[in-house]
Amino acid sequence: MSDPTQRDALSLAEAIAARRLSPVEAVEAHLARIAAHEPTLQAFTEVYADDARLAAEGADRAIRSGHAVGPLHGVPVVLKDLIDLAGRVTMGGSAAHRARRADTTATIAHRLIAQGMIVLGKTHTVEFAYGGWGTNQHLGTPWNPWDLAVARTPGGSSSGTGVSVAARMAPWGIGTDTGGSVRLPASFCGLTGLKVTVGRVSTHGIVPLSATLDTPGPLGRSVADVAVLYRAIAGPDILDPSTRGIDPIDPLPGLTRGVRGLRLARMPRAERAGVSPEMLSAYDAALEQFERLGAEVVDIALPFRFADLMSVQASAVTNAEAYFVNGRLAEDPDAPLGDAVRARILAGASVTAQDYLATQSLRRDRRRQFLAAMEGIDALLTPTTETAAIPLAEVDEGHLPSRFTRFGNLLDLCALALPNGFTGAGLPLSLQITCRGYEEALALRIGHAYQAATEWHLRSPFE
């Protein structure tokens, strides 16, 4: 494989560690691909070309001298434009913060850099990470690389990370997920993305949307890549109280155990309404694949409809916390905020303390009910989105694509999105594997078994 950009992250890491490929070659290849495709795809807010080259030269010398800091030394990575790097601009997707330079480096970035990874740049996000289609009114919307003729939704809010990884401008990257913002780009861009449980990965140094629900997570081409990147960023952080007392669990030892003997639930039949025929066909085929692999696919009676958790009441926590962070800015009519995002933030102004606490109580009740329904079941399988990526011209900002993803955040669960087919027009379809909180290793194991038996994740939008 002569082109480093066509290697997945683990293949790249292995080649660098074995000195069959240098970090300089890897970084130069990705920078060249960014230069070639970024004018069209617009995935990046900033490319750190000079610094990445310097880091690659240092990594090359360290590896050649026997001073590699670990197996990921020299591997490029991209970061969502919510993640602080000291001295670098973090806009959080907002033109109002074009000049905001970070004073510190986020814990997640520290961990990646400490393991020798090389940050290629920052990637676009929906403004303040508050939207699922991937649109950004003032800074621009990244172009979904699976259709170069029609501008389609890249998925949000981690739109730039999704587009850059799908287009092979980076081997993997970091997003964040508050209502689906890792899984939605994974769905629309043909990637694998992991929504972690709150406390698994530190949010210190990451621009907040909803402190209660925000979760950083990895996006990559395969479950194996995502599992390794997840391991690299997970663990307690003294600067993030939500991580304390949560012991990290290495997902790699059990990754290849397969699914024989596991009980996987199909979604209730009523939930099929509103899902495109192609998405349902891919979903049904995935269920059959799991049965061939030895899993038992069973029915489940859920205590709610997924759409119920898209209601105004269920959104009170996010709305209130988003307003707490950005309400003053949203109330300034001269501030350059996108219309849809401004409206979502201002909705938090009407959330009373009683509303907020009632929603927290609702979350606890629904979580107890969901866990009771999951008794004896290892994971719930659903589509990730109702459809494949739609044209940007058809986006209704009043209807978000997070019907199947938001419940995972509200109920403190973990979930994995991965490709499970393509439409007749060649657009990716996606399967979601939802497990109980802190069972990331199980979700990754189930997803890896599926990818070991299929090849959907191996496709790329163009060479």
Side-chain angles (χ1 to χ4, degrees):
M1 195 178 293
S2 59
D3 183 357
T5 67
Q6 298 307 307
R7 293 178 177 270
D8 61 29
L10 292 188
S11 171
L12 199 63
E14 290 165 1
I16 291 172
R19 295 173 60 180
R20 296 191 302 271
L21 178 71
S22 76
V24 173
E25 292 170 322
V27 165
E28 287 295 346
H30 284 90
L31 289 176
R33 193 164 176 89
I34 291 169
H37 297 295
E38 176 62 8
T40 297
L41 300 182
Q42 295 293 298
F44 288 85
T45 59
E46 192 172 4
V47 178
Y48 306 145
D50 292 342
D51 285 353
R53 289 187 173 104
L54 284 174
E57 291 170 6
D60 188 40
R61 292 191 182 98
I63 292 167
R64 286 191 289 111
S65 66
H67 287 75
V69 298
L72 303 179
H73 201 165
V75 178
V77 67
V78 292
L79 303 177
K80 184 177 183 177
D81 178 36
L82 295 179
I83 300 171
D84 280 346
L85 289 171
R88 292 287 188 183
V89 172
T90 306
M91 293 185 289
S94 179
H97 292 324
R98 286 184 185 274
R100 178 190 176 276
R101 291 193 178 272
D103 296 325
T104 60
T105 294
T107 296
I108 196 170
H110 267 304
R111 288 179 174 168
L112 296 172
I113 294 168
Q115 294 175 66
M117 279 181 264
I118 298 170
V119 179
L120 294 175
K122 292 275 191 74
T123 55
H124 274 290
T125 174
V126 175
E127 192 167 19
F128 304 130
Y130 213 178
W133 294 113
T135 53
N136 190 305
Q137 183 175 331
H138 290 291
L139 297 183
T141 299
W143 191 292
N144 189 316
W146 288 94
D147 188 344
L148 297 182
V150 177
R152 292 181 177 271
T153 50
S157 62
S158 307
S159 53
T161 298
V163 168
S164 63
V165 176
R168 295 355 187 200
M169 294 191 287
W172 53 13
I174 301 296
T176 64
D177 193 311
T178 306
S181 292
V182 163
R183 292 160 289 162
L184 299 174
S187 180
F188 291 149
C189 291
L191 299 175
T192 302
L194 178 66
K195 183 270 175 200
V196 305
T197 318
V198 170
R200 277 294 194 203
V201 179
S202 173
T203 60
H204 171 72
I206 299 178
V207 176
L209 170 61
S210 170
T212 296
L213 304 177
D214 292 345
T215 55
L219 277 155
R221 300 183 204 171
S222 70
V223 172
D225 279 3
V226 164
V228 169
L229 191 54
Y230 163 66
R231 184 177 66 170
I233 60 177
D237 176 20
I238 194 171
L239 298 173
D240 180 356
S242 73
T243 68
R244 296 174 192 170
I246 300 174
D247 294 330
I249 296 176
D250 186 349
L252 298 187
L255 193 64
T256 60
R257 288 181 56 195
V259 295
R260 185 167 298 280
L262 296 184
R263 302 182 79 234
L264 309 178
R266 64 172 65 86
M267 66 181 178
R269 188 159 194 83
E271 295 292 353
R272 297 171 69 91
V275 182
S276 73
E278 289 177 303
M279 187 69 80
L280 287 175
S281 178
Y283 172 69
D284 291 337
L287 297 182
E288 292 172 1
Q289 181 64 64
F290 279 116
E291 288 181 320
R292 288 193 293 273
L293 293 172
E296 180 185 2
V297 177
V298 301
D299 292 322
I300 187 172
L302 292 177
F304 52 77
R305 295 290 299 272
F306 294 124
D308 294 343
L309 298 184
M310 299 281 288
S311 68
V312 172
Q313 180 188 16
S315 300
V317 170
T318 307
N319 289 346
E321 293 179 348
Y323 183 77
F324 173 76
V325 176
N326 289 303
R328 186 171 299 176
L329 185 64
E331 288 174 345
D332 179 358
D334 296 324
L337 267 64
D339 296 335
V341 172
R342 187 191 297 272
R344 290 176 197 137
I345 294 171
L346 291 178
S350 61
V351 177
T352 66
Q354 187 174 16
D355 295 334
Y356 182 85
L357 293 175
T359 302
Q360 293 287 27
S361 177
L362 174 70
R363 291 179 61 226
R364 291 190 294 270
D365 290 343
R366 290 289 183 267
R367 185 171 187 274
R368 283 194 295 267
Q369 293 165 0
F370 177 79
L371 295 179
M374 285 283 287
E375 184 69 30
I377 294 172
D378 295 290
L380 170 63
L381 307 182
T382 67
T384 306
T385 50
E386 294 175 318
T387 69
I390 65 172
L392 288 178
E394 297 178 8
V395 167
D396 174 5
E397 292 287 358
H399 170 78
L400 294 175
S402 48
R403 170 183 161 194
F404 292 120
T405 59
R406 186 178 290 187
F407 82 97
N409 302 84
L410 287 171
L411 307 188
D412 291 331
L413 310 172
C414 64
L416 181 73
L418 68 168
N420 69 333
F422 286 83
T423 69
L427 301 173
L429 301 166
S430 183
L431 174 73
Q432 179 176 242
I433 301 165
T434 300
C435 292
R436 296 168 183 81
Y438 307 105
E439 290 188 349
E440 287 83 359
L442 178 58
L444 291 163
R445 170 187 162 189
I446 295 168
H448 187 271
Y450 180 78
Q451 288 190 341
T454 59
E455 296 185 346
W456 305 116
H457 64 291
L458 300 179
R459 296 194 187 184
S460 60
F462 52 80
E463 294 301 321

